[in-house]
Amino acid sequence: MEPEEGTPLWRLQKLPTERGLQFLHKVIDGICGRTFPLHQDYQSVWDSTEWNHVLEDVTMFFKAIVGKNLPDEKISQQLNQLNSCHEEALMKCLRSRTDEIRQALLGEIVGISSAQLQDFDWQLKLALSSDKIATLQTPLLNLHLDVKENGEVKPYSVEMSKEELQNLIKSLEAASKVFVFILLYSFYSLNSCGLAIEITRMKIISAIKFRCYS
């Protein structure tokens, strides 16, 4: 059965099955800090635009599966529209290299843990109209963050609708679950690295929920 366009990993179906395992291992090599596969080796399969998408799709798939520690049956449900050869290759890579991917994810957390939230502020405003809609009346949240990176405080600002804010909160809560798993897994070897980021995340979520929905 051909996977529908837009479903996870649907572009992978274009890759000849005999090349699948090698390609997937190269993607994992890239995740683990080595060299990602090169487009020139696969330009007969995907054009440059497709290549960027398929590389991102497969990378995010491996990170999400390992980060969430999903069981095999859950993984198979996500792969049920791929042909059996590609599904088997993906499962084989996961079984043999899960620990490597998990260590790479942990390294990413350690890498960003040097950034510290110094302060934040927010403003709630009402968008009355736009260039396309005469009457809009949509509430928008402006979130301002002061983040200290390498000794320098940098300002970041983002504007979100209520739906985007809810999606952000859901994403942060999902990331928290992944973080907790990785933190517990690595506790004895790395103590509690990244704990400051988790505390910061919880403060932001609590403050936004309290102030915007009270």
Side-chain angles (χ1 to χ4, degrees):
M1 177 176 58
E2 289 295 321
E4 297 179 4
E5 183 173 335
T7 56
L9 303 181
W10 68 272
R11 296 180 182 87
L12 190 62
Q13 198 78 341
K14 296 180 66 175
L15 183 67
T17 55
E18 65 272 12
R19 303 183 66 184
L21 196 60
Q22 181 189 43
F23 170 73
L24 295 172
H25 275 298
K26 284 184 175 294
V27 173
I28 296 176
D29 286 343
I31 293 173
C32 296
R34 296 185 284 277
T35 304
F36 275 100
L38 301 176
H39 179 225
Q40 65 188 37
D41 296 328
Y42 298 91
Q43 57 188 358
S44 62
V45 181
W46 300 292
D47 61 32
S48 57
T49 301
E50 290 177 319
W51 172 253
N52 291 331
H53 285 303
V54 74
L55 203 58
E56 180 181 2
D57 290 346
V58 176
T59 298
M60 294 306 297
F61 169 81
F62 280 131
K63 287 184 176 182
I65 294 299
V66 174
K68 295 177 182 178
N69 196 33
L70 294 181
D72 286 356
E73 58 269 19
K74 293 289 186 181
I75 301 173
S76 296
Q77 290 175 8
Q78 298 190 28
L79 303 177
N80 59 9
Q81 292 197 22
L82 291 179
N83 66 48
S84 58
C85 292
H86 283 315
E87 181 178 350
E88 181 181 351
L90 283 160
M91 296 300 295
K92 185 178 294 186
C93 287
L94 282 169
R95 292 189 184 105
S96 63
R97 305 191 66 179
T98 289
D99 287 342
E100 289 182 70
I101 299 172
R102 186 175 289 117
Q103 288 300 319
L105 293 178
L106 178 60
E108 291 181 3
I109 292 177
V110 173
I112 65 174
S113 64
S114 59
Q116 297 179 341
L117 180 67
Q118 297 295 296
D119 196 10
F120 72 94
D121 194 11
W122 62 274
Q123 291 179 334
L124 192 61
K125 66 180 184 179
L126 187 66
L128 299 178
S129 64
S130 70
D131 57 348
K132 295 181 180 180
I133 304 175
T135 303
L136 197 60
Q137 295 186 341
T138 300
L140 297 173
L141 174 75
N142 284 333
L143 180 63
H144 307 280
L145 306 174
D146 290 331
V147 180
K148 187 175 183 180
E149 298 178 282
N150 300 319
E152 180 183 357
V153 177
K154 299 180 180 179
Y156 295 91
S157 297
V158 61
E159 183 178 85
M160 293 175 286
S161 65
K162 180 178 178 180
E163 291 74 20
E164 290 170 331
L165 175 59
Q166 290 171 334
N167 289 335
L168 173 63
I169 291 174
K170 290 178 181 178
S171 297
L172 289 172
E173 289 174 341
S176 174
K177 296 177 182 178
V178 176
F179 173 84
V180 169
F181 172 79
I182 296 175
L183 186 61
L184 290 174
Y185 178 84
S186 60
F187 181 79
Y188 292 105
S189 59
L190 292 173
N191 295 319
S192 55
C193 66
L195 185 57
I197 275 193
E198 174 63 5
I199 294 173
T200 296
R201 182 201 66 80
M202 293 173 65
K203 287 181 178 178
I204 292 176
I205 291 177
S206 297
I208 291 175
K209 281 183 174 180
F210 176 76
R211 297 181 184 179
C212 292
Y213 294 102
S214 60

